[in-house]
Amino acid sequence: MKFRLIYPRWEKLEGQTTFNLPPHGPVVFAASLPDYVDVKFTDENVEPVSFDEEADFIGISMMLSTQVKRGWEIADTFRKKGKKVLFGGISTMLHAEETMLHADAVFLGEAEGRMEEVFSDFNNNSLKKLYNYMYRFPDIASIGPARRDILNNKLYNHKGVQMVDLFHASRGCKFSCYPCAVTYLGGRGFRPRPVEKAIEELETIENNRLFIVDNSLAQSTKWEMELFEAMIPLKKKWISHTIEDDPKVLDLAAKAGAWYVYQAVFDTSDYIKERIKRYHDFGIGVEGTVLLGLDNQTEDDIRHLIDFLLEIDLDLAEFTVLTPFPKTKVYDDLIRQGRIFDYDWNHYNAGKVVYQPKNMSPERLQELYNYAWESFYRDEPQSQKMFKLFSKVMLREMNDNTFRPRQRELTDYSFGKKISRTL
Amino acid sequence: MKASFDKIDNVIEFTGSWGIASKCGLKRSSYNGKDVILVTELYKDNPGTPITQVTASLAMQVCEKLNIDPKNLIYIEHSPDMNSKLSFYDEVFYNVSFEIVDGKFINPSWKILAADEIEMYLK
């Protein structure tokens, strides 16, 4: 049975360095497919979708709101050709209602242990319009290694440098941050994978550089420390979201290969300044993630925040504007207050203002967002700051004999496309 | 989530957008001869559409289920206290008004309610 799994493209943010990372949702989903399913994967961000290739059943996996319109378009084309289309993934869950208009079946929830039913229904011509497994989570210990074999690795390579591979060690999140949909998607209970299961998967990943995509690793000190301890012999180098602010944990994280972390910078307090310093003390880089446009922010607050970022020695910064993704509390609040004026999901990229901010005009917030990017990278461009972080990881790899030189046969290619190199 | 369960008599199932099975908390009382319905968002305990995103449809479903005349309804949405340090998750109540056209609620508009107004409606 031939199953085509497609990951729709999306418009990248203007003016920012574009890196295409191998997507994680599709490879995790692929591991849940019955053995008789022959899956072929297309990531439209790096290769075109062929609508004429032989396939029995089409799957569309979507992570971002900015993918959904393109995903629906792809589905409509396949359905006109008589193919049945199944949708799944994070943004399918956020946009389930509209997605059902373009689908033969919509799967909501986590796929492990559920696909036998879906594919059996397909085979029996009794596909259901909706498979709603929200909050009926599979046993976290049952989650095995993702099917990274479906990826064409050459397409995730920039001038001979392989992009990081994505990996997750837990699901769910005990925090409930205001603009975040994770509580809706994965529940408010933290579900760590057994450390031995996580390590078993890590051992299968050939790539030495990883992005651990868990929402926050700082949710269970004991588990976090056990995980880091067990990762040390693997000598991987990795990026992650927040690590617990405890010297014992940070020390272990550094030994386990922590390269840099995404850390939310939400105010100009000494706490933040010291938190960044503590990461650096352990040799861990920091990319500050900065959300602009909350109701408690004025124009002056945003300007002070940007000045503060320049003072605290961040390695990188990423700015976003508040975006009311469906199924979040911020969406409900802004709907009730009649403040959302743009429902074009292609604009829900966290770089475009789609709502009326409380303390300024939408245009002013958009200007401040642009100003934030320009100010932070004025003296040292993003590419240069990234190169510095990259140099640090190369040195660490050389020290522990894990460094691999760039792939010479791919130095003239960027994400599968031939490039002309200038001297 | 730690919802304010004193504001929930029972949890009901409702049909969310495009038929998705959904749940919310429900409390019923009366005020000056009108039926007061308070629906509570259950966040992660609601497997379907959030109450605010189908407010008109949910209000009508409640009227049908409880045999309430839509013209006689005072409809309140409740976001419970999430015990968060962030003020965004404080408990909040909205009175939702609708127009009624062809027996259906349309054009919802939300007005935040003060604590004394809630007391008045629910006592």
Side-chain angles (χ1 to χ4, degrees), chain B residues 3-19:
Chain B
S4 311
F5 286 107
D6 60 320
K7 305 273 187 329
I8 298 177
D9 289 337
N10 52 318
V11 170
I12 60 159
E13 293 189 352
F14 66 94
T15 307
S17 305
W18 278 266

Side-chain angles (χ1 to χ4, degrees), chain A residues 47-59:
Chain A
E47 61 183 324
V49 172
S50 161
F51 291 95
D52 299 316
E53 217 169 293
E54 195 191 337
D56 301 304
F57 193 16
I58 308 295

Side-chain angles (χ1 to χ4, degrees), chain A residues 23-43:
Chain A
H24 194 51
V27 296
V28 172
F29 168 75
S32 72
L33 293 171
D35 290 341
Y36 62 84
V37 175
D38 175 17
V39 57
K40 186 183 177 223
F41 177 63
T42 304
D43 174 358

Side-chain angles (χ1 to χ4, degrees), chain A residues 125-366:
Chain A
N125 206 23
S126 57
L127 209 52
K128 297 180 189 78
K129 189 79 177 166
L130 178 69
Y131 294 86
N132 189 354
Y133 283 103
M134 293 293 282
Y135 313 126
R136 289 152 70 186
F137 302 120
D139 175 8
I140 194 76
S142 73
I143 294 157
R147 287 270 315 269
R148 294 181 180 81
D149 59 293
I150 67 169
L151 300 170
N152 179 354
N153 282 328
K154 287 182 181 172
L155 299 178
Y156 303 102
N157 189 295
H158 176 61
K159 298 180 180 175
V161 178
Q162 193 63 32
M163 295 294 104
V164 291
D165 258 296
L166 276 55
F167 164 80
H168 76 286
S170 67
R171 294 182 182 178
C173 187
K174 70 179 184 182
F175 305 113
S176 192
C177 302
Y178 185 55
C180 182
V182 167
T183 307
Y184 177 77
L185 297 166
R188 205 177 172 185
F190 179 54
R191 291 176 290 135
R193 293 172 73 182
V195 169
E196 65 277 12
K197 283 281 187 183
I199 296 299
E200 188 184 303
E201 176 163 355
L202 284 170
E203 283 170 340
T204 68
I205 304 174
E206 203 196 329
N207 197 339
N208 193 45
R209 295 178 193 150
L210 304 172
F211 179 6
I212 303 176
V213 296
D214 303 45
N215 306 299
S216 164
L217 289 169
Q219 306 207 47
S220 158
T221 310
K222 184 172 174 288
W223 173 82
E224 198 180 6
M225 290 180 77
E226 282 171 9
L227 177 70
F228 293 159
E229 186 90 58
M231 284 173 70
I232 294 172
L234 303 177
K235 296 185 179 178
K236 301 279 188 194
K237 303 293 172 280
W238 45 271
I239 304 158
S240 75
H241 295 113
T242 315
I243 297 171
E244 193 166 336
D245 189 17
D246 174 329
K248 291 193 299 293
V249 181
L250 289 169
D251 182 45
L252 269 181
K255 286 176 180 153
W259 172 13
Y260 68 94
V261 295
Y262 288 92
Q263 173 63 50
V265 179
F266 43 82
D267 62 26
T268 58
S269 64
D270 286 344
Y271 168 75
I272 292 286
K273 196 185 269 189
E274 284 155 18
R275 187 130 169 62
I276 308 294
K277 185 180 173 304
R278 275 191 291 276
Y279 280 122
H280 283 157
D281 288 345
F282 286 93
I284 302 170
V286 184
E287 173 157 358
T289 53
V290 188
L291 178 64
L292 308 177
L294 287 162
D295 278 1
N296 58 6
Q297 283 176 332
T298 63
E299 287 190 41
D300 279 350
D301 292 332
I302 292 177
R303 270 195 294 265
H304 287 147
L305 189 57
I306 296 162
D307 291 342
F308 175 73
L309 298 177
L310 293 165
E311 284 166 25
I312 59 173
D313 197 23
L314 281 174
D315 299 278
L316 288 169
E318 179 183 87
F319 301 92
T320 51
V321 286
L322 181 68
T323 304
F325 294 106
K327 313 291 195 292
T328 60
K329 177 121 181 359
V330 64
Y331 184 85
D332 287 353
D333 286 351
L334 295 180
I335 283 264
R336 284 164 167 170
Q337 294 158 23
R339 289 165 58 190
I340 301 178
F341 56 78
D342 184 347
Y343 289 91
D344 182 340
W345 304 125
N346 281 349
H347 296 163
Y348 280 56
N349 58 10
K352 186 164 171 55
V353 183
V354 295
Y355 73 103
Q356 172 61 54
K358 188 172 179 188
N359 296 314
M360 65 200 85
S361 69
E363 294 77 18
R364 187 69 190 126
L365 178 58
Q366 194 69 59

